[in-house]
Amino acid sequence: MENFLPFLIIAAGAIYKIYTEYKKEQDKAAKRNLKRPVAPTAPAPPVQQRQAPKPVVVPPVQKRENVTVKSQKPVQRPKVETRPVTQEIPQEVLRLRRAKELERNKQPQQLVVIDADDEKAFEFDLRNGVIQAAILERPYR
């Protein structure tokens, strides 16, 4: 407990110092804002009651019977010869397409069944496996 009291005193002093610096900055900021001229605000217009809108009268449109419009000549575009598009497919592409088609049409191979009796049992030596793994995966390459 005796060691705790000096720590509290130092912490309280640091907090007080930070607080006083904060207040000084706030005072400086307030003085800076006072030096700026404040734009005068225009008084708000008095609120008036809404009046019903007046109906708008649209004069009738007169129809014109004999109106002649000059027609422009259609724009003549130059004619471009169009040839039927013939795509020449390279020989390599054709060869690959034929190879893929043959693969699709190819029948699956017959699976060969091997009797389990014919094979000898698989043996695994753990000791030799660990030694061979250590040789292949050296940690100090």
Side-chain angles (χ1 to χ4, degrees):
M1 190 60 133
E2 294 173 2
N3 294 335
F4 191 62
L5 185 61
F7 177 72
L8 282 177
I9 292 172
I10 292 172
I15 291 172
Y16 179 73
K17 184 69 174 173
I18 291 171
Y19 177 73
T20 56
E21 292 295 323
Y22 174 75
K23 281 294 185 182
K24 285 181 186 178
E25 287 297 321
Q26 291 297 321
D27 291 339
K28 286 181 186 177
K31 288 178 184 176
R32 277 182 274 168
N33 289 338
L34 290 178
K35 291 181 182 177
R36 290 185 193 164
V38 178
T41 57
V47 178
Q48 297 177 355
Q49 293 180 349
R50 291 182 94 190
Q51 297 177 355
K54 296 178 182 177
V56 179
V57 178
V58 179
V61 179
Q62 297 175 355
K63 293 184 179 179
R64 297 181 184 179
E65 294 291 327
N66 297 326
V67 177
T68 58
V69 177
K70 291 183 179 179
S71 63
Q72 296 179 350
K73 291 182 179 178
V75 178
Q76 293 181 357
R77 296 184 182 149
K79 292 189 177 185
V80 179
E81 291 183 28
T82 57
R83 294 184 219 154
V85 179
T86 57
Q87 296 180 351
E88 294 183 15
I89 301 173
Q91 292 296 325
E92 185 177 343
V93 174
L94 292 173
R95 185 172 36 85
L96 289 173
R97 283 184 184 172
R98 276 189 240 119
K100 285 182 183 178
E101 191 67 31
L102 288 174
E103 284 292 321
R104 284 188 211 135
N105 294 338
K106 194 176 191 182
Q107 293 187 4
Q109 296 177 351
Q110 295 291 331
L111 297 177
V112 178
V113 179
I114 301 174
D115 292 331
D117 298 335
D118 295 343
E119 293 184 22
K120 73 175 197 176
F122 180 74
E123 295 179 16
F124 179 74
D125 187 10
L126 183 62
R127 182 176 178 270
N128 285 338
V130 171
I131 291 171
Q132 290 174 359
I135 291 171
L136 291 175
E137 299 174 6
R138 295 182 183 197
Y140 52 87
R141 288 186 186 195

